[in-house]
Amino acid sequence: MENKKYISTIAMAFMTAAAIISLRGLPLMAAEELTMFFYIGFATLFFLIPAALVSAELGSTFAIKEGGIYVWVSSAFGKKIGFTAVWLQWIQNVVWYPTVLAFSAAAISYGINKPELANNGIFTGIFIILFYWIATIIAFKGTNFLSKVTSYGFIIGTVIPGLIVIVLGLIWVLNKNPIGFENLTIEDTTVSSIINGTVKPRILPNFKDFNNISFLSGIILLFAGVEVQAVHVNEMKNPKKQYPLAILIASLIVFILFTFGSLSIAAVVPNSQLKIESGLMQALSTMLNNIKQGWFIYILSFCICFGALSGVLSWISGPSKGLLSTANDGILPTILSKTTKNGAPKTMLLLQGIIVTILASLYFFMKDVSVAFFLLSALTIAVYIIMYILMYLSAIKLRITQPNLERPYKAPFLYLISVIGIVASFFALILSFIPPSQLPIGNPTSYIIIVTIGTIGFSIIPLFISRK
């Protein structure tokens, strides 16, 4: 008998971290200056860790069944609600694509020495539509090519640039350059306060107005996706001890890269000049020019763009296949279950492309690219959060109604961490509907209407499909 190969604690930690970390979130957190510690700590303790532990229990319990979140929720609440959960997981990815590709557009604008294009909505919209359809065509060919691209993309386009921005930030400070978060103005009320007549950076957010903390919803989105790796918990030799340790290590990796990467950007780019879709490139350009190595920005920009694009490729067919599994239960219409000869979900990929094209068109009409970027991020988290709430409720109900179900991994204090996750999720959901005071939203009513219609519309579609 062959010895079974197990996933090590470190390997699981790296897999989990890779599913979460994206450099596109660094400027979003940097915009919060020193209050970022509160946001990152909140997202880690009240969202990342509860989601990881609960999804690990569900993933290990139903490891022999394909379908992920669909199987978990269906076992607790029936197939219609399970379909709603997997639909929300799929549609949030579709809404997410324009945001990560907008980040790629900003990176490539520096690579072609046209940084002003990073704030050009026409350029950003066209870039998103063009590259998404290229990625869709590649996805038609199956997963073999995709796996090769994504395995290199994470290292080349995420880990290495992330470490470089941290090192350059340290050099910036050691060279005694001006520190952005030490030179705030009284106008920056969301991140600064007056102490003894002097403007000082805030450590805690200004809780007097919810508009000041609405960025929290976008930051929580950066910590989402941990449930993707939870299905592998059965492949560990001693999951009860190894998985919590792996989550702790992954959380530390995420915390270090997000915190120090964001801190580097905040130290270099003044808050009033920071763009959340291109802030990383702004900071890298400034730091490299400071050490007379400005030419390196061209190489880094293509690496970062490659990393973001590989992230899209890694997700473009996965959630579609998860949704496709519902076809076996007769929930999806036959036309949506068609696949290519390579097994790629053909109709679903085409439907994704159409929705992404429509969402990318927002960039054509909004004056500020940062606003469109955050608007889509808010819509993504609103949809995704509902899926997480269903996941937590499913774990609680299954513990009550099926206590004897074999659970290779049992989450400690499941009821407590599920309730914590639900409360944190509801809080983030509410904030996603509130326009942030840090961005020139324009008409707040229009912002709220778009997010509300998008969230309700995307949420009722699966219910309509199930009834038909």
Side-chain angles (χ1 to χ4, degrees):
M1 180 183 294
E2 295 184 4
N3 292 327
K4 181 179 179 180
K5 292 184 178 180
Y6 294 100
I7 296 177
S8 67
T9 302
I10 295 297
M12 177 62 82
F14 284 171
M15 288 167 61
T16 302
I20 298 169
I21 294 173
S22 171
L23 297 183
R24 70 185 178 85
L26 299 187
L28 182 64
M29 289 184 284
E32 293 304 314
E33 303 294 345
L34 297 188
T35 63
M36 72 173 72
F37 292 104
F38 167 81
Y39 291 106
I40 294 174
F42 182 97
T44 301
L45 293 175
F46 300 113
F47 185 79
L48 173 61
I49 292 177
L53 296 177
V54 171
S55 60
E57 174 170 318
L58 294 171
S60 66
T61 303
F62 300 99
I64 61 173
K65 297 182 179 180
E66 293 185 355
I69 189 72
Y70 170 65
V71 173
W72 306 348
V73 178
S74 294
S75 299
F77 297 108
K79 293 177 181 178
K80 289 185 178 181
I81 303 300
F83 174 67
T84 299
V86 74
W87 168 275
L88 293 173
Q89 185 186 53
W90 172 76
I91 199 65
Q92 75 82 23
N93 267 280
V94 177
V95 181
W96 169 79
Y97 295 131
T99 65
V100 71
L101 287 172
F103 174 68
S104 298
I108 210 69
S109 68
Y110 280 79
I112 60 176
N113 200 25
K114 294 285 185 180
E116 66 275 8
L117 290 177
N119 300 316
N120 186 304
I122 302 297
F123 169 78
T124 302
I126 292 174
F127 181 94
I128 293 170
I129 294 169
L130 177 63
F131 273 80
Y132 187 81
W133 281 106
I134 291 174
T136 299
I137 292 171
I138 294 174
F140 282 156
K141 300 183 180 298
T143 59
N144 289 334
F145 179 72
L146 295 182
S147 61
K148 293 179 181 178
V149 174
T150 54
S151 60
Y152 291 108
F154 177 66
I155 300 297
I156 297 174
T158 300
V159 175
I160 293 177
L163 293 175
I164 288 175
V165 75
I166 293 173
V167 172
L168 289 176
L170 181 61
I171 294 173
W172 177 271
V173 174
L174 293 177
N175 285 343
K176 298 182 178 180
N177 289 294
I179 306 301
F181 51 77
E182 291 182 350
N183 296 281
L184 298 172
T185 65
I186 189 58
E187 285 77 20
D188 301 319
T189 55
T190 58
V191 293
S192 65
S193 59
I194 298 178
I195 301 177
N196 297 324
T198 304
V199 180
K200 296 286 186 181
R202 288 181 178 274
I203 302 299
L204 291 176
N206 183 355
F207 292 104
K208 293 181 179 179
D209 190 341
F210 266 22
N211 293 78
N212 294 333
I213 59 173
S214 59
F215 262 30
L216 177 62
S217 62
I219 290 174
I220 280 183
L221 174 63
L222 302 174
F223 289 78
V226 68
E227 77 280 358
V228 174
Q229 302 300 340
V231 296
H232 299 296
V233 70
N234 272 2
E235 299 173 43
M236 304 182 81
K237 190 172 184 178
N238 188 356
K240 291 185 179 180
K241 292 184 178 179
Q242 288 180 280
Y243 189 73
L245 181 58
I247 291 304
L248 176 62
I249 295 171
S251 298
L252 287 174
I253 294 172
V254 172
F255 183 85
I256 290 171
L257 189 56
F258 275 167
T259 301
F260 290 101
S262 303
L263 205 56
S264 295
I265 295 174
V268 176
V269 184
N271 187 273
S272 59
Q273 300 175 19
L274 183 65
K275 297 289 185 180
I276 62 172
E277 82 289 342
S278 59
L280 175 61
M281 305 311 300
Q282 284 179 281
L284 282 171
S285 179
T286 302
M287 290 188 288
L288 288 170
N289 286 326
N290 180 63
I291 59 174
K292 313 298 182 185
Q293 302 296 326
W295 59 271
F296 195 57
I297 189 67
Y298 304 121
I299 297 175
L300 272 179
S301 64
F302 281 98
C303 289
I304 291 170
C305 182
F306 174 52
L309 290 174
S310 67
V312 171
L313 287 171
S314 68
W315 282 89
I316 197 168
S317 61
S320 296
K321 286 189 174 181
L323 187 62
L324 197 65
S325 65
T326 63
N328 296 328
D329 290 334
I331 296 178
L332 272 180
T334 306
I335 190 173
L336 294 179
S337 61
K338 292 183 178 179
T339 61
T340 65
K341 62 180 180 181
N342 296 313
K346 181 180 179 180
T347 311
M348 294 303 302
L349 289 174
L350 290 174
L351 180 60
Q352 278 185 183
I354 293 170
I355 298 174
V356 169
T357 301
I358 294 172
L359 293 174
S361 299
L362 278 174
Y363 287 94
F364 297 152
F365 305 105
M366 305 198 76
K367 294 180 180 180
D368 194 312
V369 172
S370 293
V371 174
F373 183 90
F374 187 80
L375 175 61
L376 288 173
S377 295
L379 183 54
T380 302
I381 190 61
V383 173
Y384 209 0
I385 280 295
I386 297 173
M387 186 218 76
Y388 274 107
I389 292 173
L390 289 174
M391 182 186 78
Y392 290 128
L393 292 174
S394 297
I396 292 173
K397 184 176 181 182
L398 288 170
R399 274 283 188 100
I400 296 172
T401 59
Q402 301 184 46
N404 297 323
L405 194 65
E406 184 179 353
R407 294 172 171 85
Y409 174 80
K410 291 187 71 173
F413 310 108
L414 179 101
Y415 299 128
L416 175 62
I417 62 177
S418 293
V419 170
I420 290 173
I422 291 171
V423 172
S425 296
F426 267 117
F427 185 54
L429 181 63
I430 292 170
L431 290 180
S432 67
F433 291 92
I434 301 175
S437 59
Q438 298 92 328
L439 294 176
I441 295 298
N443 186 349
T445 304
S446 298
Y447 178 96
I448 296 171
I449 289 174
I450 292 174
V451 176
T452 302
I453 291 177
T455 303
I456 295 176
F458 287 141
S459 300
I460 65 174
I461 287 174
L463 300 177
F464 176 79
I465 292 176
S466 296
R467 291 193 66 177
K468 293 297 180 181

